[in-house]
Amino acid sequence: MLKLYLEFRVNKYENFEKLRKMFYSLKESKKNNSIDYQDSKWKNFYDEELLKNFWWPTDDELIEYWKLYESIPINQRYNDKRLFKEWEFSSMLEAIACGEYQLDSCEIIKGNIGRLKFMTWSWPYEGAGSLRALIESFGLEIIKDEV
């Protein structure tokens, strides 16, 4: 297994503690293949303000999004800023659940610097976008990565 990490600046220790608690809950659930990404318990790790970091589209917004998506030529979709949205909450959890990696630790390593460590099961793997989203959803700034 390849050991990788994301380092981040902790600007609010309270938010780091929320991230850390959620991380270890996700780690245990992932180990048991039991992350139910539609379970509302995951929202309990967030306050109302932090939940605003996610995209919560209405049914109409989703319909409009997919219409736009389909209307854009395939070779332009990944660069069209109209398609850039924040992560949906359940999509982030689903990506973590399906990620080809094992969650390792989430701790303060020095002063106000935290590190989230994980180990890939294969290489190449699908990336750490969902783990980045997890960290950033708690208002923490990623400052270094080894992914």
Side-chain angles (χ1 to χ4, degrees), residues 65-78:
Y65 178 86
W66 288 112
K67 280 183 187 175
L68 175 62
Y69 180 87
E70 293 294 330
S71 73
I72 297 170
I74 292 172
N75 63 341
Q76 296 174 19
R77 287 181 185 158
Y78 294 108

Side-chain angles (χ1 to χ4, degrees), residues 124-138:
Y125 73 110
E126 75 281 351
S130 56
L131 296 176
R132 288 177 183 280
L134 177 66
I135 292 167
E136 291 171 345
S137 72
F138 285 95

